[in-house]
Amino acid sequence: MLLYYFTSLRHGLSAIRERRIKISRFNQLNDIYDHIGIFVTSPEDMEARDNLRSEVLRYEGLICMSKTYDEPLLWGHYGGNHSGMCLIFEVPHRKPWKDVEYVDRIPRLEETGFSRFNQLPHSEIVRLAHTKFTNWSYEQEVRRIITLRDYDFADDFFYQPFDEHMELRGALFGTRAEPNEYQVEALLRHDEELQFAFIKPKPARFKMMIDREKSRGLLPSDRVIRCDRLGRLYLGSQAPNE
């Protein structure tokens, strides 16, 4: 399965160079409700929920990716307003990744079958950590919870090295992205297995698509990501019906 990570051009190139990805923190996400969101009423339950949130912030973060690359809102919100990149990862092991569940309203404690927040089993806490308002469903988000370890004091971020649970296969450049010729040449030399492509808006639908002409004009033909008529991407030796 392929997953897609949207970021700015600078951070995308840096991630490829360093072979690592920034870990997000729950209190830094753009959805203000996205932090073990559950409605409780008693002061005791509020305190227990807030204590757990503080514990999670201290020890855990998350990596958020999408199951799609062609959603314009993802490029606008996370891909540097279409001037950034989308890193493409192959996920051979599904276990550490979990789909986000989209709901119409904030979950309530009484709906879980438990009367106290501290009674919630770990499985329920994990489910709440992967729950978002249905208006975010365009993201088609998949998450991986990560223990905070590799801290970079220079930029004040925690990072997760690429590993067997997310193998970098290539990247897409946004329709407004303008990597210069030195960056492109260095990128191609850095890892000869990676493939790339530029994208553009589809003319008749609110979706993005591979810009074959631009990609083949700026990249060697054997390093260009291919796709079929349905927009499915093919990397490596796979041969789509273009």
Side-chain angles (χ1 to χ4, degrees):
M1 180 179 68
L2 297 180
L3 293 180
Y4 304 92
Y5 179 82
F6 294 83
T7 187
S8 67
L9 180 64
R10 178 177 177 272
H11 287 134
L13 294 175
S14 178
I16 294 174
R17 182 190 64 196
E18 304 296 333
R19 296 194 59 79
R20 65 182 189 178
I21 197 170
K22 181 176 74 70
I23 298 175
S24 299
R25 312 291 291 280
F26 276 98
N27 64 340
Q28 299 169 342
L29 299 176
N30 53 10
D31 181 2
I32 198 66
Y33 292 97
D34 195 355
H35 189 184
I36 312 178
I38 187 170
F39 181 73
V40 296
T41 56
S42 75
E44 294 82 5
D45 288 328
M46 291 180 186
E47 182 180 6
R49 180 194 59 190
D50 293 345
N51 287 341
L52 179 60
R53 286 175 173 175
S54 297
E55 190 79 359
V56 168
L57 285 177
R58 183 175 182 182
Y59 295 109
E60 293 184 331
L62 67 162
I63 296 174
C64 306
M65 297 196 192
S66 174
K67 291 189 283 188
T68 184
Y69 72 92
D70 62 2
E71 171 56 58
L73 289 177
L74 288 171
W75 284 97
H77 293 162
Y78 306 109
N81 193 23
H82 295 270
S83 64
M85 296 179 68
C86 173
L87 304 185
I88 304 172
F89 291 89
E90 184 167 4
V91 179
H93 308 290
R94 194 66 165 83
K95 186 176 181 180
W97 298 92
K98 184 175 177 62
D99 291 350
V100 166
E101 176 188 0
Y102 298 99
V103 296
D104 292 326
R105 58 186 178 84
I106 298 174
R108 295 173 175 266
L109 179 61
E110 57 267 26
E111 297 170 346
T112 66
F114 295 90
S115 59
R116 285 284 181 261
F117 182 86
N118 280 334
Q119 296 174 342
L120 293 178
H122 180 261
S123 60
E124 183 65 18
I125 297 299
V126 170
R127 188 185 73 83
L128 291 171
H130 293 80
T131 301
K132 295 181 70 171
F133 181 37
T134 190
N135 282 18
W136 297 96
S137 60
Y138 73 89
E139 295 180 341
Q140 297 186 46
E141 186 179 342
V142 180
R143 291 181 169 180
R144 177 182 174 186
I145 304 298
I146 299 286
T147 301
L148 299 176
R149 293 191 184 93
D150 296 333
Y151 177 70
D152 189 325
F153 63 85
D155 54 17
D156 192 28
F157 289 138
F158 286 90
Y159 288 92
Q160 171 63 35
F162 300 162
D163 59 15
E164 69 275 12
H165 299 299
M166 51 181 197
E167 300 175 4
L168 183 66
R169 298 294 307 280
L172 300 170
F173 293 99
T175 189
R176 295 173 178 162
E178 296 182 352
N180 63 51
E181 59 180 305
Y182 301 109
Q183 290 175 310
V184 173
E185 291 175 1
L187 191 59
L188 293 171
R189 291 195 306 268
H190 179 73
D191 189 331
E192 296 182 356
E193 299 296 322
L194 300 182
Q195 292 180 289
F196 306 92
F198 289 81
I199 65 166
K200 65 179 181 179
K202 283 188 173 183
R205 294 182 60 199
F206 292 116
K207 292 290 183 181
M208 308 304 292
M209 62 183 290
I210 297 292
D211 188 335
R212 292 189 178 98
E213 183 178 355
K214 184 176 182 180
S215 299
R216 291 169 178 170
L218 297 175
L219 299 165
S221 59
D222 62 335
R223 305 294 295 277
V224 175
I225 297 170
R226 294 166 293 170
C227 69
D228 63 17
R229 294 185 180 92
L230 298 178
R232 292 174 298 204
L233 302 188
Y234 294 81
L235 297 97
S237 60
Q238 294 176 312
N241 181 21
E242 293 186 303

